[in-house]
Amino acid sequence: MIEEKEKIVYVHEGNLQKAVAHIITGVIGAGVLSLAWSVAQLGWIGGPFIILVFAGTTFVSSNLLSDCYTFSHPQHGNIRCSSLIDAVHFYQGETKKTVCGVLLYASLYGTTTAYIITSATSIRMEINI
């Protein structure tokens, strides 16, 4: 006699609030939350100073990236780079384009892996396996 396996019935009790909570958990992550704790450990003088340093670094790097988007060429007019790899190739050459591409795709691979692990953990907690 062949025994039938028990059928597992999953009850979906998800709603908008749980979905938003899981998205925020995946996007923010533990790294950003530990950053706030680390800055808080610096005190009232060091903490705001480091926040200003982070803001300045973000401002400078975003301006550099936006300046790389268009380039005014005297003969060819405005040249537009559609991606970071195109901008690196235009300004730095083929070798640095390859190095930047490898580092960029390694970073994307790591981020994607972290998102997959976080989403799998969230789904597992939702189903209660």
Side-chain angles (χ1 to χ4, degrees), residues 16-77:
L16 182 62
Q17 291 173 337
K18 289 181 181 178
V20 169
H22 288 306
I23 290 170
I24 289 172
T25 302
V27 172
I28 293 176
V32 176
L33 296 176
S34 64
L35 179 65
W37 180 83
S38 300
V39 170
Q41 299 305 308
L42 296 173
W44 282 102
I45 295 175
F49 176 73
I50 290 299
I51 290 174
L52 291 175
V53 169
F54 289 160
T57 303
T58 303
F59 180 74
V60 169
S61 62
S62 63
N63 279 330
L64 287 173
L65 280 173
S66 65
D67 287 343
C68 290
Y69 177 68
T70 59
F71 176 75
S72 297
H73 195 275
Q75 292 177 338
H76 303 291

Side-chain angles (χ1 to χ4, degrees), residues 2 24 38 45 49 75-76 79 100 104 113 118 120 129:
I2 300 174
I24 289 172
S38 300
I45 295 175
F49 176 73
Q75 292 177 338
H76 303 291
I79 298 173
C100 181
L104 180 66
T113 303
T118 303
I129 293 180

